[in-house]
Amino acid sequence: MSLFDKKLADIHTELDKGELTVSDLVNASFERIARTEDKVKAFILLDEENARNRAKELDEQQSRGEEKGLLFGLPAGIKDNIVTQNVTTTCASKLLANYNPIYNASVMDRLHAAQSVTIGKLNMDEFAMGGSTENSGFHNTYNPWNKDYVPGGSSGGSAASVAAGQVYFSLGSDTGGSIRQPAAYCGVVGLKPTYGLVSRFGLVAFASSLDQIGPITKNVEDSAYVLQTIAAHDPFDSTSAEVDIPDYISALSGDVKGLRVGVPKELMGEGIDPEVKEKVNAALKVLESLGATVEEVTLPHTEYAVPTYYILAPSEASSNLARYDGVRYGVRADNAENLIEMYRETRSQGLGAEVKRRIMLGTYALSSGYYDAYYKKAQQVRTLIKQDFDEVFKKYDVIIGPTAPTTAFKIGEKVNDPLTMYLEDICTIPVNLAGIPAISVPCGFASNGLPVGLQIIGKAFDESTILRVAHAYEQNTDYHKARPEL
Amino acid sequence: MSAISRNEVEYVAKLARLNLTEEEAVKYTEQLNSILEFAGKLNELDTANVPPTSHVLDVYNVMRDDEVRPSVEREDALRNAPDEEDGQFKVPAVME
């Protein structure tokens, strides 16, 4: 059994008994990376020196018998759009190839306080725009289950690294499915928290009304531990919610008796691969056998979610990226004769195709004369989508369906066809538009050998319930224990 | 009829401070048209009486006390600057 297949509690027991040190854990992480990274290419940067020093520091703390943090000693990978002090943060963009932040994202301070060890920064689609990690400004990441396939995106590096056993857990960010979809493609657990539960301070903004940081882990229990660490009100983020944080770990009771599950017919209809449907139905049977009731429900505006998202997200992205001017940080184009030309050359040379496409789309949708027709219209439809969820949650505890309509697709297959690629997020996007939480857990393998993801959606700030349901399901299946051969 | 013309694409690029190559201008005109056509689906819905979502949570104005706090050191602020001089960010000429 690999070190990273052990449960968090067992690792902590072994550390206490002196059978294991944090340095052993960190060494195991770098050894695994050395053996697998050429096949997976999950990382943009390895922070080896800092990680080894931090491991020594924690080992000394252990020897002094001090109380341990919740994630003590656990090797972590961080999506490279989360700002890390004195460690290059690129967002997988050539523009930020040399950006060395002077501060930490609030989630990094929280991970540090919980005493995990940052191993490095993980690959992603540039500025988190994309669904395959093929839009990275540096290199592709490969699906650990089959290197001809994408790992999903935009947190592709975060999902691939955990699936490959390179790190114990990782952080990703989810704007339209960017944690859950790659988690589904790579056969790991990905959680998108309620909007506002986790601080976005220091997360490089893509679409500010949709973005949320969350954990990618091998099992649901670890997901609860990481969420417990990062969920908190943060005065540095004005959209951070002031709510009491429940005990997510003790919520994992394994009991789903009497739980009411709604299955939206729109997420189980046309466009969803029959094999994916079959695995989701089998998972629902497991929950029924544990005492849950399962009924078909309707989210009537689901078909409008993707067009709504592809107006709103690019609009917010164009607005956020309008701030990038090459003056205060990043890579600046040479030889511009005046300031405007410097802006234009810097942005034109440094940004990739997908990012430019979204800036163009967003600038158009927000421009005078088109704002009402596109942006305002999309925000109105967003209200209808949110109301659909409110209606179902009056009667049901959770909503369950597939995480993605298919398993991972082949590298290069959709990269020149943005609309088709956008449809891969059809099951996840409604959740972001409504601001509610959802988790993706492995629920089997298709005949091509690739993992299928089950999505469990909850009410706002009811992470406890989706974690409880996901955990109960996991305890009665073995899919989360399968590992790719690398 | 296409939703966005080649001329409009070039105008939007100017607003967005992007220079497009000939190839990009052609490609984006085509791709933006297909995405906007797709977004046209939203017009199937009557939203005359639907309020736009301004925030997914019931959050109101967030205020903090007006207290003096330390700011970023100048040296740190300039650390990532592509070009700087005498403690300031340096940029090409703004005026002719």
Side-chain angles (χ1 to χ4, degrees), chain A residues 86 100-101 195 303-304 326-327 329 332 339 344-345 347-348 353 356-357 364 370 377 379-380 383 386, chain B residues 3 8-9 16-17 19 24 28 31 41-42 44-45 47 50-51 53 56-57 62 79-82 90 93:
Chain A
N86 298 327
N100 195 346
Y195 183 79
E303 61 178 312
Y304 301 98
V327 172
Y329 52 84
R332 178 191 290 188
L339 189 64
R344 294 170 62 134
E345 276 304 312
R347 292 163 61 84
S348 303
K356 283 184 194 167
R357 179 159 50 234
Y364 180 74
Y370 296 102
K377 180 82 185 179
Q379 288 287 39
Q380 288 172 314
T383 303
K386 186 172 180 332
Chain B
E8 280 179 299
V9 165
R17 304 267 193 250
N19 294 324
E24 281 177 322
Y28 287 146
Q31 289 178 340
K41 189 175 172 52
L42 301 183
E44 291 171 9
L45 296 169
T47 52
V50 181
T53 297
V56 288
L57 303 173
V62 177
R79 200 168 81 189
N80 281 287
K90 190 178 174 188

Side-chain angles (χ1 to χ4, degrees), chain A residues 1 4 24 37 81 87 93 106 114 161 194 212 222 268 270 291 364 386 390 407 459 464-465 474:
Chain A
M1 186 193 245
F4 293 157
D24 293 338
E37 182 61 359
N81 60 350
V87 178
S93 180
S106 293
S161 184
T194 307
Q212 189 63 192
D222 292 350
M268 291 293 271
E270 218 185 307
Y364 180 74
K386 186 172 180 332
D390 291 345
T407 54
K459 298 172 197 170
S464 295
T465 300
E474 197 184 72

Side-chain angles (χ1 to χ4, degrees), chain A residues 86 98-102 195 238 303-304 306-308 311 326-330 332 338-345 347-348 353 356-357 359-361 363-364 370 374 377 379-384 386 419 433 461, chain B residues 3-4 8-9 12-20 24 27-28 31-32 34-36 38-39 41-45 47 50-53 55-57 62 69 72 76 79-83 89-94:
Chain A
N86 298 327
N98 61 3
Y99 174 52
N100 195 346
I102 60 172
Y195 183 79
S238 64
E303 61 178 312
Y304 301 98
V306 176
T308 298
I311 295 301
V327 172
R328 288 153 300 152
Y329 52 84
R332 178 191 290 188
N338 60 51
L339 189 64
I340 300 285
E341 206 39 46
M342 186 201 88
Y343 295 157
R344 294 170 62 134
E345 276 304 312
R347 292 163 61 84
S348 303
K356 283 184 194 167
R357 179 159 50 234
I359 289 176
M360 293 285 294
L361 184 59
T363 305
Y364 180 74
Y370 296 102
Y374 290 108
K377 180 82 185 179
Q379 288 287 39
Q380 288 172 314
V381 178
R382 182 179 189 178
T383 303
L384 297 176
K386 186 172 180 332
L419 262 183
L433 291 172
F461 300 109
Chain B
I4 183 167
E8 280 179 299
V9 165
V12 168
K14 198 177 154 198
L15 291 177
R17 304 267 193 250
L18 291 170
N19 294 324
L20 299 185
E24 281 177 322
K27 192 176 74 179
Y28 287 146
Q31 289 178 340
L32 293 192
S34 68
I35 297 167
L36 290 169
F38 178 60
K41 189 175 172 52
L42 301 183
N43 293 321
E44 291 171 9
L45 296 169
T47 52
V50 181
T53 297
H55 200 297
V56 288
L57 303 173
V62 177
R69 291 183 307 182
V72 172
D76 286 337
R79 200 168 81 189
N80 281 287
D83 199 3
F89 296 108
K90 190 178 174 188
V91 294
V94 176

Side-chain angles (χ1 to χ4, degrees), chain A residues 13 28 69 99 115 126 158 168 183 255 273 286 341 355 373 386 397 401 406 457 469 472 480:
Chain A
T13 308
Y99 174 52
Q115 300 178 325
E126 184 179 9
S158 300
Y168 194 82
D255 182 15
D273 183 279
V286 173
E341 206 39 46
V355 175
K386 186 172 180 332
D397 300 300
T406 64
I457 304 166
V469 177
H480 65 289

Side-chain angles (χ1 to χ4, degrees), chain B residues 55-71:
Chain B
H55 200 297
V56 288
L57 303 173
D58 295 327
V59 171
Y60 298 91
N61 278 346
V62 177
M63 305 291 191
R64 64 169 166 77
D65 293 336
D66 186 16
E67 284 169 354
V68 177
R69 291 183 307 182
S71 181

Side-chain angles (χ1 to χ4, degrees), chain A residues 215-233:
Chain A
I216 294 180
T217 56
K218 287 185 304 296
N219 59 61
V220 176
E221 194 176 320
D222 292 350
S223 188
Y225 271 90
V226 181
L227 185 66
Q228 197 78 58
T229 303
I230 61 177
H233 175 247

